Amino acid sequence: MNNTWQAFFGLGKEPFGADIRTIDILKTPELTDVQNRFDYVVRLGAVGLVTGEVGSGKSTALRYAMEKLHVAEYRPLYITASSGSIMEFYRQFVDVLDIHLSSNSKAIMVRRIKNEVMNLVREKRLKIVLIVDEASLMRLEVFAELHTICQFDKDSKPWLPMILSGQSTLIDKLTYRSSQPLASRVVAKSHLEGVDLAGMEAYLKHHLAICGMDRMLFDPTAITAIHQGSGGLFRKANHLARGSLIAAAQDQSAIVNAEHVRIASTEIF
Ligand SMILES: Nc1ncnc2c1ncn2[C@@H]1O[C@H](COP(=O)(O)OP(=O)(O)OP(=O)(O)O)[C@@H](O)[C@H]1O
Ligand SMILES: [Mg+2]
């Protein structure tokens, strides 16, 4: 699909994209809630959870909370989890700490990770926070062992706070008996849901404004259709909003209506 629709609406760039800049993130009450809990967990050196539906804005909220940390004081370490083994997790941790290791021994990896965390905390005077996105994908064996990486000086030093984010199955995995040592360290939970109709209108306006458009291009029927079709979830709303703008441009209509949203909805899941 070419970009004539952008020109038709006079949009400076393609709206509703995935690559939103941090300064362009819409400060919703839910985002502030995630940030407050994130800060609380980091202060305590504990574990926090961010759960929510697919495309509800979890990764964006994490990015926002991370960027709010003062660079001179904090070192956030961001990992996108996989369904791999605990060794896979440690390898990712080693990478994000920029450690060069030739050994594949678990014991050596864990020792190096802990030494590096201690070094950053004690020598460099940095506060560390480990953010594990897509944590709901992790195997139960990873949940069973993850708390050991946070234990320093006989578990007396809370040097490695951890934020786990993922779909609601993350909670299910934490209720297993084998996950209890990790679950017992959780001190805060945020859950992101779809926004309400007013929240969706604000979201659509915001994304248009990012592209230099101060006119509301969606009529009330379109806003309702996008809200219903997306369940208030942002990624799906992005697809419906972009698709309906394209449909409206093809229709030579300066305003998007519910019919344009319906056409867009036939293209997505
Ligand atoms: N606060 C926000 N302000 C502006 N845009 C947002 C905001 N939150 C989310 N978005 C938009 O919604 C899209 C989906 O958000 P995000 O990727 O954070 O969801 P997610 O919950 O992490 O999804 P997944 O479950 O697939 O990991 C983003 O690409 C971004 O464009
Ligand atoms: Mg995500």
Side-chain angles (χ1 to χ4, degrees):
M1 258 170 257
N2 66 31
N3 291 344
T4 47
W5 62 276
Q6 278 176 52
F8 176 80
F9 286 109
L11 291 161
K13 56 180 177 169
E14 179 160 337
F16 303 104
D19 59 342
I20 184 166
R21 295 182 307 168
T22 309
I23 53 160
D24 289 333
I25 291 174
L26 178 66
K27 278 102 201 143
T28 61
E30 293 77 17
L31 199 78
T32 310
D33 178 81
V34 171
Q35 196 209 337
N36 288 341
R37 286 183 159 77
F38 186 106
D39 290 346
Y40 176 67
V41 169
V42 172
R43 255 197 332 274
L44 284 184
V47 177
L49 308 181
V50 179
T51 55
E53 295 295 314
V54 171
S56 56
K58 300 180 293 296
S59 302
T60 306
L62 292 176
R63 182 150 63 94
Y64 179 77
M66 271 169 67
E67 300 260 341
K68 288 275 161 187
L69 299 173
H70 206 289
V71 278
E73 213 182 326
Y74 291 92
R75 169 73 74 85
L77 304 168
Y78 183 93
I79 290 177
T80 304
S82 71
S83 55
S85 65
I86 187 78
M87 284 296 284
E88 185 55 39
F89 182 86
Y90 288 144
R91 263 183 228 113
Q92 286 185 285
F93 204 164
V94 162
D95 278 350
V96 82
L97 279 168
D98 234 354
I99 300 173
H100 300 287
L101 257 188
S102 43
S103 167
N104 252 342
S105 145
K106 183 159 123 182
I108 291 175
M109 267 196 212
V110 172
R111 199 173 328 124
R112 284 295 307 276
I113 289 169
K114 288 196 168 192
N115 282 344
E116 183 58 17
V117 170
M118 278 195 289
N119 173 45
L120 291 169
V121 173
R122 289 208 297 222
E123 310 302 325
K124 307 240 164 84
R125 305 256 164 232
L126 287 167
K127 296 188 182 101
I128 314 292
V129 48
L130 177 63
I131 297 127
V132 186
D133 203 357
E134 304 290 357
S136 46
L137 290 177
M138 295 191 309
R139 294 183 196 173
L140 283 174
E141 69 170 76
V142 179
F143 283 90
E145 202 171 316
L146 207 51
H147 66 286
T148 61
I149 203 82
C150 309
Q151 293 175 337
F152 293 90
D153 210 359
K154 303 182 192 66
D155 211 7
S156 64
K157 300 278 192 285
W159 284 341
L160 189 60
M162 211 188 295
I163 306 286
L164 305 176
S165 177
Q167 292 173 44
S168 302
T169 48
L170 174 57
I171 305 280
D172 303 336
K173 288 188 172 168
L174 281 164
T175 58
Y176 275 79
R177 198 176 176 77
S178 56
S179 307
Q180 277 305 297
L182 181 63
S184 70
R185 287 169 158 75
V186 173
V187 296
K189 294 183 200 153
S190 302
H191 181 72
L192 297 179
E193 287 177 348
V195 295
D196 62 13
L197 185 61
M200 183 53 71
E201 181 170 358
Y203 180 79
L204 296 171
K205 266 191 187 144
H206 178 78
H207 269 268
L208 290 174
I210 292 171
C211 299
M213 172 55 60
D214 50 14
R215 238 170 357 103
M216 185 47 164
L217 300 180
F218 300 92
D219 81 5
T221 66
I223 300 168
T224 302
I226 292 173
H227 181 244
Q228 284 177 354
S230 65
L233 299 168
F234 290 150
R235 186 176 302 115
K236 204 162 175 192
N238 282 350
H239 295 330
L240 287 174
R242 196 189 310 105
S244 60
L245 281 167
I246 294 168
Q250 280 166 354
D251 201 18
Q252 296 291 299
S253 168
I255 293 289
V256 179
N257 61 37
E259 176 57 14
H260 301 130
V261 179
R262 191 196 62 75
I263 294 167
S265 72
T266 62
E267 302 272 353
I268 68 165
F269 280 97

